[in-house]
Amino acid sequence: MCGIVGATAQRDVRQILVEGLRRLEYRGYDSAGLALVDATGVLRLVRARGKVAALAEAADAAGHDGRCGIAHTRWATHGEPAERNAHPHLSDDVAVVHNGIIENHAALRQELSGEGYRFASDTDTEVIAHLVHRELAGGIALRAALEAVVARLTGAFALAVCCARAPDTLVLARRGSPLTIGVGIGEHFCASDALALLPVTSRFVYLEEGDIAELRPDTFQVFHDGEPVERRIHQSTQSPDAVEKGQYRHFMLKEIHEQPTAIAQTLEGRIGDGRVLDAILGPDTARVLDRVERVHIVACGTSAHAAQIAAYWLEQIARVPCRAELASEFRYREPLIEAGTLIITISQSGETADTLEALRHARDYPLAGALAICNAPESSLVRESDLVLMTHAGPERSVASTKAFTTQLTALALVMLLLARRQGMAPEVEADFVRQLEVVPAAIEAVLERDDAIREIAEQLVDKQHALFLGRNTLYPVALEGALKLKEISYIHAEAYAAGELKHGPLALVDEDMPVIAVAPDTGLLEKLRSNLQEVRARGGRLLVFGDVAAGFERDAYTEVLAMPASGTLNHPLIYTVPLQLLAYHVAVLKGTDVDQPRNLAKSVTVE
């Protein structure tokens, strides 16, 4: 979603703001802008449609500088992508940047228009700038003005405000959307993601729900309900270089290749002597898991596919009833959740709005507990959960998720084995599953070595308009994830089905122009899948099969085969995901699309 960067310092902050926006480009956006209070005490604004590079060029040409300012990358929600709708938004000498949605903006706009305020944009954000300006006209200080305005707003937001009449001050507010303070020496910063600020600080304060903050070069203070509060300063261990592409052409390719390391890091310290170690979810692990009778998993997008795979594992291996569903539907479905239910939420960022609201809704029920699977240790999801299992994916900048997905699966496999042990799983059986997880990094390395062969297969999809993905059992969600990756970054329409459903409708679409991609490990369902694929061949369809070396698939005029490493019940979803990621990547590169920042999409969806 949109990105915020702000700074107040004893030096020019323009380049800090621009570099911060560059580091937030992965979130997805359609325009960018910055506002600076210059040395003469005048508020200067620069905005541009398109990439941050266009904003940087415009800012260089304008020559504006300043020691206090805010900047933003916008992903359109209200108003078309256009320079006039880009942030920051002004009201005379007040500038505002905003992530989120103001649900009562229409009524506020009407009220302000009646008082003579003119609107230059179609956004919901502009009402905030005018409201702050109106409060300041009454003679109160900037923080007090923001507190008064926030009380009028309905919705979710992260706000950063600067004003020419308080030239060294930034004020911030957070409700439902993340915002972080970067702590420096003689300078302070803010951002919607700490990654934006790593070049200038490694010390961060994460604002909590309802917090308001005031930043000056030499000090900062956080307030809650009008009273000053202390918030802990966290020392980040991330390197600024962690968000650079290095030798890779795109972040997505870099992150695909980082998966063996990321999975090994997610396993590290959590398994030993053939078993999952106790208390890996925190000190309350035993207390919560011992009373779990069933599991309900909620997530969105790629994380929802991880949830579906985990549901198969939990029921087939752990023998624990499980339901996986979309967080965006969860609370509106008015679910019936029985006592003894463990709610598992999954989110890379920990700030996914639908997933957070699903967790909050689930709190209305007598849960066994709430477990978060997340990659962001200071996120809202982590703070609001009883148990936490962090993935160790590291920063993921490509909008299309890769290593976040496989590390989520790794974490979910560990949780499943903890619950399976409580259901009586024998130690030797658990040890076999642990060994399956231990070999995943090496198996993925073997798949990555087939990159050239996958690129050749991708050439067969470049001119296609549609594609069909098939899988069975835990490989059905893998097929769903493969189809999602292809449509996300190549813009080829792709759908996925459980292979047994092929004859129940999708077979009508199959012809020589509809490639069918199948994931085919050597499982008890292999012969049934082979039969499904024969139906495709019989109708002139072309097959791309990612199959186990022992499966015996042969290449011919209608079938392209990529032999996959041997895998087991638990680890084949992790391994078979990787070639589908590479396939989507190479198709997108060959088509010339924007791989890391596909159109219309955002990395972190912090509004409904």
Side-chain angles (χ1 to χ4, degrees):
M1 194 52 70
C2 313
I4 288 173
V5 183
T8 177
Q10 297 171 3
R11 55 172 167 157
D12 180 31
V13 300
R14 174 159 61 92
Q15 292 304 323
I16 295 172
L17 299 179
V18 171
E19 177 59 25
L21 292 186
R22 286 196 179 104
R23 289 170 170 266
L24 295 180
E25 285 188 298
Y26 73 94
R27 296 168 73 93
Y29 66 104
D30 51 57
S31 58
L34 61 84
L36 292 161
V37 181
D38 70 14
T40 66
V42 176
L43 187 66
R44 305 289 187 182
L45 176 69
V46 183
R47 299 185 295 190
R49 182 173 177 180
K51 300 298 184 184
V52 170
L55 174 67
E57 184 177 337
D60 287 342
H64 300 322
D65 60 15
R67 296 185 176 187
C68 182
I70 53 178
H72 192 268
T73 50
R74 175 182 186 259
W75 190 67
T77 55
H78 292 78
E80 64 181 356
E83 183 177 327
R84 66 188 175 83
N85 288 326
H87 297 215
H89 288 287
L90 303 187
S91 182
D92 191 24
D93 61 348
V94 174
V96 175
V97 292
H98 163 224
N99 287 355
I101 292 177
I102 306 303
E103 295 176 345
N104 61 334
H105 75 98
L108 292 171
R109 177 181 285 252
Q110 184 177 9
E111 174 187 321
L112 289 161
S113 296
E115 296 178 11
Y117 281 95
R118 300 289 183 90
F119 285 82
S121 76
D122 304 316
T123 70
D124 54 338
T125 303
E126 193 177 358
V127 301
I128 302 170
H130 292 319
L131 288 170
V132 172
H133 181 270
R134 186 175 68 178
E135 294 295 332
L136 290 173
I140 63 175
L142 184 57
R143 177 175 63 83
L146 183 60
E147 288 177 338
V149 169
V150 164
R152 298 286 316 276
L153 303 179
T154 302
F157 50 79
L159 302 173
V161 182
C162 65
C163 176
R165 70 188 80 178
D168 66 345
T169 303
L170 291 179
V171 291
L172 319 174
R174 185 227 160 138
R175 185 198 295 166
S177 194
L179 198 57
T180 299
I181 297 171
V183 180
I185 300 174
E187 54 190 18
H188 290 94
F189 314 94
C190 70
S192 48
D193 189 325
L195 290 175
L197 302 177
L198 286 177
V200 290
T201 185
S202 60
R203 303 168 69 218
F204 299 99
V205 172
Y206 296 92
L207 294 183
E208 298 185 5
E209 191 77 356
D211 281 353
I212 285 177
E214 182 176 77
L215 280 58
R216 292 191 176 94
D218 58 346
T219 187
F220 76 91
Q221 180 65 65
V222 180
F223 299 84
H224 195 90
D225 292 333
E227 297 297 325
V229 293
E230 294 294 325
R231 298 284 183 242
R232 186 162 68 94
I233 297 177
H234 300 263
Q235 181 71 44
S236 174
T237 59
Q238 293 191 70
S239 164
D241 296 335
V243 291
E244 300 299 332
K245 284 185 287 220
Q247 64 178 328
Y248 296 96
R249 182 176 176 184
H250 298 97
F251 282 109
M252 182 179 180
L253 184 61
K254 174 177 181 275
E255 289 154 11
I256 290 172
H257 280 262
E258 287 175 341
Q259 287 176 113
T261 299
I263 290 169
Q265 290 173 341
T266 300
L267 291 171
E268 186 177 355
R270 292 164 172 173
I271 54 175
D273 297 325
R275 68 195 301 271
V276 180
L277 302 183
D278 292 322
I280 64 170
L281 310 181
D284 287 338
T285 298
R287 182 182 64 82
V288 173
L289 295 192
D290 286 349
R291 62 192 189 201
V292 172
E293 299 177 15
R294 60 193 58 81
V295 175
H296 208 124
I297 314 177
V298 288
C300 297
T302 286
S303 297
H305 297 153
Q308 289 176 281
I309 292 169
Y312 279 102
W313 287 339
L314 281 160
E315 296 204 335
Q316 294 175 355
I317 299 175
R319 306 304 295 164
V320 175
C322 182
R323 176 169 185 156
E325 69 175 294
L326 297 172
S328 57
E329 289 293 313
F330 176 75
R331 62 193 172 116
Y332 300 112
R333 189 176 63 77
E334 298 183 5
L336 297 176
I337 300 176
E338 299 176 72
T341 297
L342 175 68
I343 286 287
I344 300 179
T345 55
I346 314 172
S347 169
Q348 190 279 141
S349 68
E351 302 293 350
T352 307
D354 288 314
T355 307
L356 276 169
E357 290 303 323
L359 171 60
R360 292 162 183 165
H361 182 75
R363 290 293 193 188
D364 294 336
Y365 296 88
L367 300 176
L371 165 64
I373 305 290
C374 188
N375 192 41
E378 300 300 330
S379 63
S380 300
L381 195 68
V382 167
R383 292 197 302 270
E384 295 183 28
S385 298
D386 305 314
L387 304 176
V388 176
L389 187 56
M390 300 305 303
T391 61
H392 293 157
E396 187 181 64
R397 292 197 59 175
S398 177
V399 168
S401 182
T402 53
K403 63 178 180 174
F405 176 67
T406 49
T407 54
Q408 287 169 358
L409 285 179
T410 304
L412 287 162
L414 297 175
V415 173
M416 181 276 293
L417 290 174
L418 284 176
L419 289 169
R421 187 188 303 160
R422 285 163 169 76
Q423 296 297 313
M425 175 179 281
E428 61 273 17
V429 176
E430 181 179 352
D432 178 66
F433 285 127
V434 169
R435 282 192 292 272
Q436 288 189 38
L437 293 176
E438 289 174 324
V439 303
V440 167
I444 291 178
E445 291 282 8
V447 174
L448 294 173
E449 291 174 1
R450 304 297 308 279
D451 186 63
D452 289 343
I454 296 171
R455 186 187 185 283
E456 291 180 8
I457 294 173
E459 293 175 355
Q460 301 178 33
L461 295 181
V462 171
D463 62 346
K464 303 301 183 185
Q465 300 298 313
H466 311 277
L468 191 63
F469 287 71
L470 299 177
R472 300 205 70 142
N473 204 261
T474 56
L475 274 295
Y476 165 47
V478 170
L480 288 167
E481 177 62 13
L484 176 61
K485 286 291 158 283
L486 187 65
K487 73 179 77 171
E488 275 183 314
I489 62 172
S490 76
Y491 314 145
I492 292 174
H493 172 240
E495 298 293 341
Y497 284 88
E501 291 296 298
L502 188 64
K503 63 176 67 67
H504 296 288
L507 197 58
L509 298 173
V510 172
D511 60 22
E512 61 182 10
D513 292 320
M514 172 71 86
V516 177
I517 299 99
V519 278
D522 189 6
T523 70
L525 290 171
L526 180 60
E527 290 308 313
K528 292 186 180 295
L529 177 62
R530 197 189 303 274
S531 175
N532 299 142
L533 300 185
Q534 286 298 328
E535 295 173 330
V536 174
R537 287 193 57 183
R539 287 153 181 84
R542 295 192 173 275
L543 288 169
L544 306 177
V545 181
F546 296 92
D548 193 293
V549 289
F553 288 100
E554 296 182 358
R555 181 178 180 179
D556 58 31
Y558 295 95
T559 308
E560 188 70 54
V561 178
L562 185 87
M564 293 286 292
S567 57
T569 303
L570 186 59
N571 66 15
H572 53 230
L574 285 147
I575 297 168
Y576 276 77
T577 292
V578 177
L580 300 187
Q581 295 170 349
L582 286 170
L583 180 68
Y585 171 79
H586 286 302
V587 172
V589 170
L590 291 168
K591 286 175 67 69
T593 62
D594 190 338
V595 173
D596 287 330
Q597 298 169 41
R599 67 190 184 198
N600 304 333
L601 297 180
K603 180 64 176 175
S604 181
V605 183
T606 56
V607 297
E608 286 194 76

